[in-house]
Amino acid sequence: MDRKTNRLMLLIVACSAAGVVVGGTSNWVDSHQCLKKQAPTMECLTQDPLVKTIHGMSIGLIAGAGAALGATMQLKEEE
């Protein structure tokens, strides 16, 4: 692997990891705030917080990887 490929992979991994953390944390907090409401909705009561957190993490992974690819494409166009 050359140096540019290594930087691309590092950027994708870093952005994906950040997306996983942000997405998982966001959905975890949202599910716990939903349960603490005085009148929680039926959707809030039936959804498993762990499943909702994992869903947020997967969406964050995809969003982070997409952001890294988009940034890389933009940098290549500027060269």
Side-chain angles (χ1 to χ4, degrees), residues 51-66:
V51 172
K52 193 170 183 182
T53 302
I54 292 172
H55 182 259
M57 292 170 77
S58 63
I59 296 298
L61 176 73
I62 294 167

Side-chain angles (χ1 to χ4, degrees), residues 19-71:
V20 165
V21 170
V22 170
T25 304
S26 170
N27 275 10
W28 182 78
V29 168
D30 184 45
S31 66
H32 284 287
Q33 283 181 346
C34 178
L35 292 172
K36 289 183 179 181
K37 288 183 181 176
Q38 286 184 357
T41 62
M42 185 57 103
E43 179 184 351
C44 175
L45 295 173
T46 57
Q47 280 187 331
D48 183 19
L50 181 63
V51 172
K52 193 170 183 182
T53 302
I54 292 172
H55 182 259
M57 292 170 77
S58 63
I59 296 298
L61 176 73
I62 294 167
L69 290 174

Side-chain angles (χ1 to χ4, degrees), residues 1-12 68-69 72-73 75-79:
M1 277 192 197
D2 64 337
R3 190 176 210 165
K4 286 189 176 188
T5 305
N6 285 339
R7 277 192 280 170
L8 172 65
M9 293 305 291
L10 181 62
L11 181 66
I12 290 173
L69 290 174
T72 304
M73 301 264 296
L75 287 174
K76 283 187 179 184
E77 279 184 15
E78 290 177 3
E79 286 181 353

